[in-house]
Amino acid sequence: MKKLLVLTLLVLTLLVAYAKTPKDTLVIAANTGIFITLDPGVCYETFAAAVVTAAYSGLTKLEVINGVITPVPDLAERWEVSQDGTLWTFHLRKGLVFSNGDPLTAEDVVFSLKRVLKIRKSPAWLFEMIGLTAENMEETIVAVDPHTVVLKTEPFAPNIILSIIAPPWGGVVNKKVVLANEVNNDLGQAYLLDKSVNAGAGPYIILEWKRNEIVRLTANTRYWAGPPPIKNIIIRDVPEETTQFLLVQRGDVDVAWNITTEQAAQLRDNPLPNVRLVTTPAQSNEYLGMNTGYGPLGNEKVRLAIKYAIDYDAIINGVMRGFAVLNQNFAPIGYFGYVEMNPFKRDVAKAKQLLAEAGYPDGFEVELMTSTTEVRRNEAVVIQSNLAEIGIKANIVIMPAGEMYAKMRQQGHQLIIGGWGIDYPDIDNLAKAFANYRIKQLAWRCMWYDDYAADLAEKAGMEPDPAKRAALYKELQEYWIMKGPFAMLYQPVSFWAVSNDVLDFEKACQGYSMIFDFTKIRKK
């Protein structure tokens, strides 16, 4: 009996060790605690937005083409824009239907875009930025006929307009279904909170979201481009990274969405036969911000000295374990207009010379503010040590991120280590934040009131010609990188542990967190 029990346990162990998920199903282990809603008119959280985008199609969608995030046709097969860049005419594909078979018409598109403005949650400001508001939407968002939608916008560059109206927030909902499930004039928010059944026209249908338990999606057989290769997607709520990592190694799940840097490094340095590490440059950046309103930091040579003093390699390869890309520009890799420029590397002698030329041969004392995360604390220690070598005494002050950014918004910092998450996939978003003080984001918070940079950022954002626009951004980047109040530390890298039974995950994750395309994934 004892031998039989041992043999049974051994067999069970082997079965668990070599478990496989169904071939038509992608099973993901992830921390879904950040999910708030799966309503396209409200959702603004990264992973949740990927789920929403899978369930709702828009006039346009985002693709990575030749390494650049690009808006391409989706429900709209083509469009025209007036010469002054303000009147957009979108022509819908013929025969479009929602997942329940209801016809999808221009009326649904108009209803969906207006719904975002009426609800006025997190995504609404993006529509408002391009000139679509709750006050003017009857004139600016119009269905000309069942297959034609007209938008009247501010004259922004086409890439900006076409990116902002893409899903998730540009996702089209079924007007009839949403209004039939309206509760207390909520425009269907309660109904769309945890499902898209009968309401979307994307490649997948969100069947259910049981909070802190599971999200289930199934392929939409009526999707205009045809059903995707993977029939079912199951997202299991697994808050602990260690548990996620174990599950993917055992074959119980196909993807561990939230592994730690240490686990990623382990998988990179000691590859497993059944699991691989997948990486892609993330849609954010890490910076050292310098408040030019604080004495020495108002001097351009002092700021250059700090940029030359930093050991970027120590931060990227030490603190980040190699899961970051050297990018000293405000524009992320993978964006239109990005120019690779990394002029700064650690040069103590040059940094000291610049300090002396600025009138600070003996350095000065400054406050270095950062948040409580381990990564930020470690970055602060490296920078503190680097600055000490050129005579600058940096006193580290650690506080919760919310408190830190609140102080920065009041221009109350001196030096700050922070990060910037991207709102929409166009260089305009970064140029405004880092170079245009007039919009009162990062440049303003660092009291860098540079009209030349602000003018360039504004002009480039309105330039319709792509070649001229790229030239303007090149000029801005070359100016800003030497004169601006930021030392860009790196562009982070996103990573996942993925079963080798999953194919083309590398294609699906390109451009994450702006894009994640489940339709590109297949399985062996």
Side-chain angles (χ1 to χ4, degrees):
M1 176 65 75
K2 191 172 182 180
K3 287 183 179 178
L4 180 60
L5 179 61
V6 171
L7 182 60
T8 302
L9 289 172
L10 178 60
V11 171
L12 287 172
T13 300
L14 289 172
L15 285 173
V16 169
Y18 297 100
K20 282 200 173 189
T21 59
K23 188 174 181 179
D24 66 352
T25 302
L26 182 73
V27 183
I28 299 170
N31 182 359
T32 62
I34 63 167
F35 285 27
I36 298 173
T37 178
L38 300 180
D39 182 335
V42 184
C43 180
Y44 209 72
E45 292 69 44
T46 299
F47 185 24
V51 175
V52 170
T53 301
Y56 297 92
S57 288
L59 291 171
T60 64
K61 66 177 181 177
L62 300 173
E63 290 271 4
V64 176
I65 299 176
N66 297 324
V68 177
I69 298 174
T70 307
V72 298
D74 193 6
L75 297 178
E77 61 182 355
R78 60 188 174 85
W79 52 77
E80 299 97 34
V81 60
S82 60
Q83 192 170 0
D84 65 359
T86 63
L87 194 67
W88 290 83
T89 304
F90 295 89
H91 304 278
L92 301 184
R93 300 176 190 276
K94 301 297 189 292
L96 292 172
V97 295
F98 289 100
S99 61
N100 66 348
D102 287 348
L104 188 159
T105 70
E107 185 179 352
D108 296 293
V109 176
V110 168
F111 172 79
S112 302
L113 299 179
K114 289 180 178 179
R115 181 175 178 270
V116 174
L117 294 169
K118 289 177 181 178
I119 292 173
R120 205 163 192 181
K121 296 289 179 66
S122 297
W125 77 270
L126 291 162
F127 287 5
E128 292 167 352
M129 186 194 88
I130 61 174
L132 309 178
T133 70
E135 291 72 30
N136 70 17
M137 63 184 180
E138 298 304 324
E139 294 77 40
T140 58
I141 307 173
V142 178
V144 176
D145 59 47
H147 296 98
T148 310
V149 175
V150 171
L151 302 181
K152 297 177 183 178
T153 70
E154 294 295 323
F156 284 104
N159 198 70
I160 298 173
I161 303 292
L162 298 172
S163 295
I164 285 176
I165 63 172
W169 35 81
V172 175
V173 300
N174 188 329
K175 177 181 177 180
K176 182 173 72 174
V177 169
V178 167
L179 293 180
N181 290 277
E182 192 173 33
V183 178
N184 297 325
N185 298 315
D186 73 341
L187 288 172
Q189 289 182 71
Y191 180 78
L192 298 181
L193 174 76
D194 54 11
K195 59 188 168 299
S196 71
V197 177
N198 301 328
Y204 284 94
I205 303 166
I206 303 170
L207 296 176
E208 65 172 346
W209 165 34
K210 294 182 179 178
R211 192 176 292 275
N212 300 321
E213 185 179 338
I214 196 169
V215 182
R216 290 196 306 120
L217 298 90
T218 193
N220 174 13
T221 58
R222 294 188 172 99
Y223 179 50
W224 73 264
I230 296 294
K231 183 178 180 182
N232 303 297
I233 300 173
I234 297 173
I235 304 171
R236 293 172 49 185
D237 182 63
V238 182
E240 292 295 325
E241 294 97 336
T242 300
T243 306
Q244 290 187 31
F245 197 40
L246 176 63
L247 288 173
V248 74
Q249 291 178 73
R250 292 194 331 195
D252 293 333
V253 302
D254 298 304
V255 181
W257 200 272
N258 313 107
I259 59 173
T260 65
T261 302
E262 290 70 26
Q263 290 162 347
Q266 175 188 331
L267 191 53
R268 176 193 62 198
D269 300 337
N270 301 285
L272 296 172
N274 61 326
V275 179
R276 70 187 184 279
L277 181 70
V278 177
T279 66
T280 192
Q283 305 300 296
S284 61
N285 48 38
E286 189 84 350
Y287 62 80
L288 174 72
M290 303 173 241
N291 190 336
T292 66
Y294 173 71
L297 300 180
N299 189 303
E300 183 182 318
K301 289 188 175 181
V302 169
R303 300 197 298 271
L304 279 173
I306 290 172
K307 294 175 186 181
Y308 278 110
I310 295 171
D311 190 341
Y312 301 93
D313 288 340
I315 293 173
I316 290 171
N317 296 314
V319 176
M320 295 301 294
R321 301 287 296 274
F323 293 107
V325 181
L326 181 65
N327 181 8
Q328 295 175 347
N329 216 328
F330 61 73
I333 298 165
Y335 276 45
F336 168 85
Y338 164 76
V339 178
E340 183 175 348
M341 286 188 288
N342 297 310
F344 304 111
K345 61 181 180 180
R346 182 157 167 73
D347 189 332
V348 173
K350 187 166 187 173
K352 285 183 175 179
Q353 178 186 341
L354 284 164
L355 272 187
E357 290 174 4
Y360 298 94
D362 300 320
F364 54 88
E365 192 167 346
V366 67
E367 180 181 280
L368 173 58
M369 186 170 68
T370 194
S371 60
T372 57
T373 66
E374 183 180 1
V375 166
R376 292 260 168 84
R377 295 199 311 270
N378 291 340
E379 288 169 358
V381 170
V382 171
I383 291 172
Q384 180 187 51
S385 175
N386 295 159
L387 296 183
E389 289 191 52
I390 65 169
I392 298 175
K393 182 183 179 183
N395 302 310
I396 298 174
V397 176
I398 296 172
M399 61 184 67
E403 184 179 337
M404 178 185 80
Y405 287 122
K407 188 171 182 178
M408 186 190 190
R409 290 186 190 100
Q410 299 290 324
Q411 301 177 321
H413 65 290
Q414 294 174 13
L415 293 178
I416 181 172
I417 299 174
W420 182 258
I422 299 163
D423 295 296
Y424 55 96
D426 187 272
I427 190 173
D428 175 74
N429 185 220
L430 292 304
K432 283 177 176 174
F434 283 96
N436 186 356
Y437 72 91
R438 295 168 191 148
I439 66 165
K440 295 195 173 181
Q441 290 184 340
L442 296 179
W444 182 86
R445 294 167 195 170
C446 286
M447 301 181 74
W448 192 54
Y449 307 134
D450 191 299
D451 286 309
Y452 182 76
D455 289 344
L456 272 176
E458 290 177 358
K459 186 176 180 181
M462 297 290 185
E463 175 54 58
D465 182 85
K468 292 179 181 178
R469 188 171 185 239
L472 288 169
Y473 280 124
K474 183 175 185 293
E475 183 181 350
L476 175 59
Q477 290 167 82
E478 290 171 344
Y479 178 83
W480 176 91
I481 206 165
M482 301 306 293
K483 296 182 178 294
F486 299 94
M488 305 305 285
L489 304 178
Y490 57 81
Q491 182 174 343
V493 166
S494 296
F495 45 76
W496 300 261
V498 181
S499 165
N500 285 335
D501 287 336
V502 176
L503 305 177
D504 295 330
F505 193 94
E506 290 80 355
K507 294 179 182 178
C509 73
Q510 282 188 342
Y512 188 78
S513 58
M514 285 294 143
I515 312 172
F516 191 92
D517 192 346
F518 284 104
T519 68
K520 288 184 165 60
I521 295 176
R522 300 175 296 119
K523 290 181 75 173
K524 289 181 181 177

